[in-house]
Amino acid sequence: MDWLKDVEFCGYLIYAIGQALVVAAIVHFDLKGAPLKIDYLASVFKSIKSWGATGILLEWEDTFPYISNLKDIGSQRSTNGCGGDGLYSVDDVQTIFRLAKENGLEVIQLIQTIGHLEFVLKHPAHSKLREAPHSPAVLCPTKPESLELVTTMLQQVIDAQPDAKYIHIGADEVWHSGVCDECKSVAASSEHGTVSLYLQHIQNVILFIKEKKSDLIVLMWEDMLRTMKYEVLKAYNLGDLVQPVVWHYNQGHCFELTPNMWETYRHVFSKVWIASAFKGANGGSQVLSPASRYVSNHHGWLREIEKNAFSFDFVGIILTGWSRYDHYSTLCELLPVSLPSLKCCLNYFFKRDPILPEVEDVIPEPQWPGGELARWVHCFVVLKERCFSFIHGDQVATWLNKWQIDNEFTNPLQVQNIMQFSKHLLSDVLELEEMMTPLLHEITGKRSVEEWLGTFLKPVVLELTDIHTTAVTRFNAGASVQPKCTHTETELELKPTE
């Protein structure tokens, strides 16, 4: 047993055991408000399987074809299928399931059940179920209709996948709790206070699922549980009902989960999942997915697994890929752009190498669905920096600032330079838009294409157009004699007094 005295070997053994425990690698697809086209998903499934993924987590949000009293969800969108950013059809959903199975990928559906319900609670028909009247984000758990709403959603999703092994009930980031009068009253009468509202609702949701399909394994995001005491979690029997997914998206150098949390979970849950990020965790309006940033997050997770290898059965990892921070936020980090990050993260996590590798933000063309679009997005970022440097740079500030424009006091020679350079940049941006638009249409629908271009590219076009138009006007006006404001003041000074 001398090998037990070898600290380095023991450290590696703990690391290896921890890695061996994590066998499932689930890739998260955040579809809210931007459904990916079926043909594109087919290519992506093939690639991620070759990189080591074992399953997919489908966060439908407003893209699932709900029926009956839920048919209004998503009705604001085009009815031309996912190509027009409408709902997936029933056939589309089954096709996605089939494509996943053909690639050996386990399918897990994610349905939010209390928080992040903007896509439901924004509708007038369901707005009365909000916990806070001004916010459509959180469901009020004390209204009987709330549980009925959620269970109806779950029933339809379960019916769509009779052979499902797992279902994910979301339950993260519940920003409002105990706001309405009824919730305040119920919380006040409970020995566990406000947290009882959340836990009772989650317990009711899971018991409904177990009643419908007893062998279905229920997953949930666990951030709302982190500060709860062992006794509280045990009181609601969560350890027997659900497998928590511990999520953390920070980079390795600032990766931290408290020992108290792990100690509590160790006594409550027999099986635990973890969740990392391969995109959508670097800022709500970012367009690039730097692989090094996301691999660093996985480095942090490997250290965390190593520390807790003998305390938990780590079932698997969910690599999250957020498309929006919530239903109303803008699109961020398109999936084609993030696929190199995903490949690097999968390869690094299962390579069992504690040393951070050198990573690249490109992958071979055959493995990169949407690779051409991704390269154009990178070109856009470079061009946008050039445009912003010009728009907010010294040349415009010195020779064509607002005061000079308002007072018609400009130098045509300098304005001509601005006119020519803005025209050149504008031409480049418009050419790039022409190249990107059909490529965007290959992966998603009309509304999402217009949103991405309208959010990131068209504002640059508008600013350049404004500068160019103004520069042309001032160039044609010729050299100014004196500022307009000075001229007005001089006239007032020379005007004879009465």
Side-chain angles (χ1 to χ4, degrees), residues 21 222 225-226 228-231 233-234 238-240 242-244 246 257-273 304-314:
L21 290 172
E222 53 61 65
L225 310 178
R226 291 180 189 178
M228 296 183 190
K229 295 180 180 180
Y230 161 78
E231 294 79 13
L233 297 176
K234 288 295 287 185
L238 286 194
D240 296 329
V242 69
Q243 294 181 5
V246 184
L257 289 166
T258 67
N260 288 341
M261 181 204 76
W262 287 119
E263 181 63 17
T264 299
Y265 287 175
R266 184 172 69 86
H267 292 289
V268 177
F269 301 107
S270 59
K271 295 181 182 294
V272 173
W273 294 65
E304 203 70 26
I305 292 170
E306 179 183 340
K307 287 188 293 185
N308 295 281
F310 290 113
S311 300
F312 289 95
D313 180 359
F314 288 106

Side-chain angles (χ1 to χ4, degrees), residues 27 65 168 195 209 235 243 296 349 372 374 381 409 457 476 486-487:
V27 177
H168 196 309
V195 299
I209 294 172
Q243 294 181 5
S296 178
F349 192 83
E372 186 178 0
V381 171
F409 191 68
L457 190 143
N476 291 333
T486 305
H487 179 68

Side-chain angles (χ1 to χ4, degrees), residues 30 32 59 61 116 118 172-173 175 249 279-286 293-294 322-333:
D30 178 14
K32 54 177 171 278
E59 183 162 357
E61 218 221 39
H116 287 298
E118 296 95 337
D172 59 316
E173 297 183 335
W175 303 124
Y249 307 145
K279 85 178 188 81
N282 199 37
S285 61
Q286 296 299 308
R293 181 258 181 265
Y294 290 108
W322 301 101
S323 297
R324 302 178 190 273
Y325 277 28
D326 67 29
H327 179 77
Y328 288 97
S329 66
T330 194
L331 286 168
C332 63
E333 300 180 48

Side-chain angles (χ1 to χ4, degrees), residues 239-431:
D240 296 329
L241 295 175
V242 69
Q243 294 181 5
V245 184
V246 184
W247 61 269
H248 197 66
Y249 307 145
N250 286 354
Q251 297 184 62
H253 65 274
C254 54
F255 190 105
E256 184 177 5
L257 289 166
T258 67
N260 288 341
M261 181 204 76
W262 287 119
E263 181 63 17
T264 299
Y265 287 175
R266 184 172 69 86
H267 292 289
V268 177
F269 301 107
S270 59
K271 295 181 182 294
V272 173
W273 294 65
I274 64 173
S276 60
F278 73 91
K279 85 178 188 81
N282 199 37
S285 61
Q286 296 299 308
V287 296
L288 298 182
S289 301
S292 58
R293 181 258 181 265
Y294 290 108
V295 168
S296 178
N297 170 244
H298 289 76
H299 180 64
W301 265 118
L302 289 180
R303 295 202 313 265
E304 203 70 26
I305 292 170
E306 179 183 340
K307 287 188 293 185
N308 295 281
F310 290 113
S311 300
F312 289 95
D313 180 359
F314 288 106
V315 182
I317 180 173
I318 296 175
L319 297 94
T320 63
W322 301 101
S323 297
R324 302 178 190 273
Y325 277 28
D326 67 29
H327 179 77
Y328 288 97
S329 66
T330 194
L331 286 168
C332 63
E333 300 180 48
L334 297 173
L335 184 60
V337 179
S338 68
L339 288 179
S341 168
L342 176 57
K343 181 183 179 182
C344 287
C345 290
L346 282 166
N347 288 348
Y348 171 65
F349 192 83
F350 288 104
K351 190 178 179 182
R352 304 182 181 183
D353 185 352
I355 300 174
L356 275 170
E358 292 291 329
V359 297
E360 295 184 358
D361 291 311
V362 295
I363 52 179
E365 185 67 31
Q367 299 180 31
W368 196 352
E372 186 178 0
L373 171 62
R375 286 190 291 272
W376 280 113
V377 172
H378 279 268
C379 290
F380 166 71
V381 171
V382 174
L383 180 56
K384 182 180 177 182
E385 287 300 316
R386 285 180 58 208
C387 293
F388 273 36
S389 294
F390 167 71
I391 292 168
H392 304 289
D394 193 59
Q395 187 178 24
V396 173
T398 303
W399 304 105
L400 197 64
N401 62 48
K402 188 177 186 308
W403 185 90
Q404 291 167 329
I405 296 167
D406 289 345
N407 291 281
E408 300 176 358
F409 191 68
T410 52
N411 180 343
L413 178 63
Q414 297 294 343
V415 168
Q416 184 180 36
N417 293 332
I418 294 172
M419 179 178 68
Q420 292 173 342
F421 195 48
S422 61
K423 181 180 180 181
H424 172 71
L425 287 174
L426 186 58
S427 175
D428 286 349
V429 175
L430 291 174
E431 182 181 357

Side-chain angles (χ1 to χ4, degrees), residues 419 422 463-475:
M419 179 178 68
S422 61
E463 288 192 88
L464 288 173
T465 300
D466 182 59
I467 289 175
H468 181 259
T469 301
T470 303
V472 169
T473 300
R474 293 311 309 154
F475 176 76

Side-chain angles (χ1 to χ4, degrees), residues 70 72-73 117-124 126-127 136 149 153:
L70 296 179
D72 64 329
I73 299 175
L117 280 174
E118 296 95 337
F119 74 102
V120 178
L121 300 180
K122 70 179 183 180
H123 292 281
H126 308 295
S127 61
L149 169 69
M153 292 168 61

